[in-house]
């Protein structure tokens, strides 16, 4: 039987997945999500940035006041080096000492931190000591960072992280207004939820999910998460914070310049006066001179913790050793072994133990070998030596 119908009497209905809602809309939404992220990155870089240098960076011979290494690490955003710097600072001032517990042990288990006198520690340092020694501040107590418990690691790490709060309390950081970030977050969320339109469209029309639309939705989700992370309001430096940062940059300038340039700074017209100011009343003797080699060695000893903070401790240890030898004076830092690069490497390695997660195995890097003994310096170190000659910078 042959039955004739007019053309287009029976047609195949269009599939939902062939509609522009599925073929074009997901790509447009993905482009919008990416555009929102780019705008967020640009605005964060422009609106949420620390102030530029407020003055010309000149070499500084002393840390800024009030003395607080945790604060300094936050201001210059080098919190990863703060714990090692604090340990070295406490050792130099005699609050703790680094002891060689077992010369035959592996490097990460060889050294420990012994409490000597916590009465001269600042409030901030007491917080760190209480966390490190688990609240038991008894003279002679020894702790090995390689064997600390997870609770102690969390406590120490938490105190280090509080530096940003301290900076805010002291007016060095502030949280800026963020109306535009709220708008971008809302926009990114709307774009992400709009991916539900093509997904629901295909489920209702074709009773299936188009795989590539689902993949694009996942990519948009990742972009949205990145947008929210970028638009989280940071703490930026205030004018006072920028001044402290510039001062610390000046310390890095002094710590990293070559030996000839550093000598030129010390012998400049205002160099002697600034050295005297850095050393305070210790130059009151009749024969004391701020340009004496011994005075400069004493000044350089005080800067070792900030060399650790800036990551130039290996270079600075050679400066201390060579400077003390040239001046013919006994350096307390060298005598304690703190100028030895092996000890400084251990201190930096110990910083990883303060993170409250399982620490990955780190390789031990050491150079310049002094001999250590638990019988000298009351359980400290015998002999000096970070080895090496002049103090070339970077």
């Amino acid at each position: 039987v042959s039955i004739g119908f007019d053309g287009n009497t029976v047609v195949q209905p269009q599939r939902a997945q062939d509609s522009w809602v599925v073929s074009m809309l997901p790509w447009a939404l993905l482009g919008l999500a990416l555009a929102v992220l780019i705008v967020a990155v640009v605005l964060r870089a422009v609106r949420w940035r620390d102030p530029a240098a407020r003055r010309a960076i000149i070499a500084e011979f002393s840390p800024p006041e009030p003395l607080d290494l945790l604060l300094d690490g936050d201001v210059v955003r080098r919190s990863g080096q703060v714990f090692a710097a604090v340990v070295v600072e406490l050792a130099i001032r005699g609050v703790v000492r680094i002891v060689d517990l077992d010369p035959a042990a592996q490097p990460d288990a060889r050294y420990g931190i012994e409490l000597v006198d916590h009465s001269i520690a600042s409030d901030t340092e007491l917080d760190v000591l209480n966390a490190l020694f688990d609240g038991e501040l008894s003279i002679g107590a020894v702790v090995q960072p390689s064997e600390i418990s997870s609770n102690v690691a969390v406590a120490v790490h938490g105190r280090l992280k509080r530096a940003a709060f301290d900076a805010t309390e002291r007016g060095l950081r502030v949280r800026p207004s963020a109306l535009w970030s709220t708008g971008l977050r809302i926009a990114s969320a709307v774009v992400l939820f709009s991916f539900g339109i093509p997904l629901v469209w295909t489920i209702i029309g074709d009773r299936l999910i188009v795989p590539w639309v689902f993949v694009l939705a996942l990519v948009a989700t990742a972009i949205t998460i990145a947008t929210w992370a970028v638009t989280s309001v940071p703490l930026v430096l205030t004018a006072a914070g920028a001044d402290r940062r510039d001062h610390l940059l000046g310390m890095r300038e002094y710590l990293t310049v070559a030996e000839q340039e550093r000598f030129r700074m010390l012998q400049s017209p205002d160099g002697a006066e600034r050295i005297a100011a850095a050393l305070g009343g210790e130059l009151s003797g009749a024969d004391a001179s701020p340009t004496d080699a011994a005075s400069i060695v004493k000044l350089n000893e005080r800067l070792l913790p900030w060399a650790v903070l800036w990551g130039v401790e290996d270079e600075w240890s050679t400066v201390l050793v060579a400077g003390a030898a040239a001046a013919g004076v006994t350096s307390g830092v060298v005598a304690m072994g703190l100028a030895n690069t092996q000890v400084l490497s251990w201190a930096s390695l110990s910083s990883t133990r303060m993170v409250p997660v399982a620490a990955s195995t780190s390789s031990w890097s050491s150079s310049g070998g002094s001999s250590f003994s638990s019988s000298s310096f009351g359980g400290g170190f015998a002999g000096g030596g970070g080895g090496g000659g002049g103090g070339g910078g970077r």
Side-chain angles (χ1 to χ4, degrees):
V1 177
S2 178
I3 302 175
F5 293 94
D6 294 335
N8 298 324
T9 298
V10 179
V11 296
Q12 181 69 28
Q14 184 184 35
R15 297 179 302 175
Q17 58 187 301
D18 295 330
S19 170
W20 67 269
V21 176
V22 179
S23 62
M24 298 177 60
L25 183 59
W27 291 103
L29 292 175
L30 185 65
L32 285 174
L34 189 58
V36 172
L37 176 59
I38 293 174
V39 171
V41 170
V42 172
L43 286 178
R44 182 186 179 95
V46 173
R47 301 290 298 274
W48 288 345
R49 59 188 304 177
D50 290 335
R54 294 166 54 82
R55 60 176 175 82
I57 303 300
I58 60 174
E60 296 289 350
F61 309 143
S62 61
E65 295 292 340
L67 184 66
D68 192 330
L69 269 166
L70 295 184
L71 208 60
D72 293 343
D74 176 76
V75 167
V76 297
R77 301 190 185 279
R78 294 188 63 85
S79 57
Q81 291 75 22
V82 163
F83 177 74
V86 169
V87 169
V88 173
E89 165 69 9
L90 292 174
I92 290 175
R93 290 178 35 228
V95 178
V96 303
R97 59 184 164 209
I98 301 173
V99 294
D100 190 358
L101 299 173
D102 185 1
Q106 292 296 320
D108 61 346
R110 177 174 176 176
Y111 303 106
I113 303 171
E114 180 184 356
L115 184 61
V116 177
D117 184 6
H118 61 274
S119 64
I120 58 177
S122 66
D123 292 341
T124 300
E125 293 166 343
L126 277 175
D127 290 342
V128 176
L129 290 173
N130 273 301
L132 183 61
F133 287 90
D134 203 13
E136 299 293 332
L137 297 183
S138 56
I139 304 303
V142 178
V143 62
Q144 287 181 269
S146 61
E147 297 181 357
I148 63 173
S149 66
S150 58
N151 290 337
V152 171
V154 169
V156 175
H157 183 71
R159 184 57 191 89
L160 299 181
K161 295 292 288 184
R162 276 174 48 198
F165 175 79
D166 294 341
T168 305
E169 287 290 301
R170 298 188 186 184
L172 301 180
R173 287 196 180 277
V174 67
R175 197 175 299 278
S177 61
L179 293 178
W180 62 266
S181 69
T182 303
L184 289 178
R185 286 188 168 194
I186 293 174
S188 65
V190 170
V191 171
L192 180 61
F193 283 115
S194 296
F195 269 89
I197 297 175
L199 291 174
V200 173
W201 185 275
T202 54
I203 291 174
I204 294 177
D206 294 341
R207 302 185 186 281
L208 57 82
I209 296 178
V210 180
W212 63 267
V213 174
F214 184 72
V215 171
L216 291 183
L218 291 179
V219 174
T221 301
I223 293 175
T224 301
I225 293 173
T227 301
W228 279 60
V230 169
T231 53
S232 60
V233 186
L235 292 171
V236 299
L237 293 177
T238 62
D243 287 338
R244 191 177 184 98
R245 176 206 58 197
D246 294 346
H247 189 113
L248 293 168
L249 289 173
M251 293 184 69
R252 185 182 64 176
E253 181 74 14
Y254 177 72
L255 292 168
T256 57
V257 295
E259 184 176 3
Q260 291 182 348
E261 290 297 323
R262 185 167 53 252
F263 181 77
R264 188 176 298 116
M265 293 176 188
L266 296 171
Q267 299 300 325
S268 62
D270 64 339
E273 180 180 350
R274 291 167 59 200
I275 294 174
L279 292 176
E282 297 186 14
L283 294 177
S284 58
D287 298 327
S289 170
T291 55
D292 281 346
S295 298
I296 294 175
V297 168
K298 185 178 292 292
L299 171 71
N300 289 342
E301 287 177 348
R302 295 185 174 186
L303 299 183
L304 180 58
W306 284 267
V308 174
L309 182 65
W310 282 116
V312 295
E313 61 271 22
D314 289 349
E315 294 90 334
W316 198 244
S317 67
T318 64
V319 172
L320 292 173
V321 173
V329 298
T330 301
S331 169
V333 167
V334 175
M336 286 187 286
L338 291 177
N340 188 281
T341 54
Q342 189 179 38
V343 176
L344 294 174
S345 297
W346 168 83
S348 297
L349 179 64
S350 299
S351 298
T352 63
R353 310 293 181 181
M354 299 303 108
V355 181
V357 295
S360 59
T361 303
S362 300
S363 60
W364 178 264
S365 172
S366 64
S367 61
S370 297
S371 61
F372 299 87
S373 169
S374 60
S375 63
S376 65
F377 197 65
F381 303 96
R394 297 186 168 178

